[in-house]
Amino acid sequence: MPEHVHHAMSTVVLTIGPAHTLRQAAQLMSARRVGAAVVLDPDTSGLGILTERDILDSLGAGQDPDRERAHDHTTTDVVFATPDWTLDAAAQAMTRGGFRHLIVLDGPEPVGVLSVRDIVRNWSNTKVPSNTKVPAAL
């Protein structure tokens, strides 16, 4: 039986406005331990996504995170998932589109965000007991 997006998605949906600075967005994302923020633009009634990669690209280009606004770094051509998509369909959409996060909509409202990490975590059959040390990455 295939697993569905609603089994793996994070229901912590960080929503920011287009006027947030990249520093503000990064601080909020860090505090909530998420890799993406849903950008809601009330002027256009549109949803977009700002990811940690977008912030990293801006910093790497030498841009000032206190002056750069989320709006200028938001992806607005977004592929949305629904909670009843299979994880396989979500993974295929991510692979085709070259992105690592999907906004999950139930009707017009964002109800979750699905990341590649969420999919891997769900597909992993390995359960590590809490007292087991996990080897450091190579």
Side-chain angles (χ1 to χ4, degrees):
M1 182 162 138
E3 291 289 321
H4 292 89
V5 166
H6 67 88
H7 293 121
M9 72 183 191
S10 170
T11 56
V12 175
V13 180
L14 172 60
T15 303
I16 63 171
H20 276 79
T21 66
L22 292 188
R23 183 177 308 278
Q24 291 169 324
Q27 288 169 334
L28 291 167
M29 289 164 64
S30 178
R32 287 171 179 77
R33 302 186 52 81
V34 296
V38 174
V39 181
L40 177 59
D41 189 342
D43 293 334
T44 64
S45 299
L47 290 176
I49 191 165
L50 179 74
T51 68
E52 55 199 354
R53 174 66 58 195
D54 298 323
I55 295 169
L56 185 64
D57 287 346
S58 175
L59 292 174
Q63 296 174 334
D64 183 349
D66 293 313
R67 292 185 183 269
E68 293 297 312
R69 301 293 172 184
H71 176 268
D72 297 319
H73 300 275
T74 297
T75 300
T76 55
D77 184 20
V78 180
V79 175
F80 298 101
T82 63
D84 61 343
W85 273 25
T86 65
L87 290 182
D88 188 54
Q92 288 179 31
M94 289 176 174
T95 300
R96 276 192 310 274
F99 47 83
R100 298 179 297 162
H101 295 88
L102 282 170
I103 299 172
V104 182
L105 297 180
D106 189 4
E109 297 298 317
V111 294
V113 174
L114 182 72
S115 70
V116 170
R117 180 178 292 158
D118 295 329
I119 293 171
V120 170
R121 186 177 297 130
N122 186 274
W123 281 347
S124 173
N125 291 325
T126 306
K127 304 291 185 214
V128 179
S130 60
N131 63 350
T132 302
K133 288 193 176 197
V134 177
L138 301 175

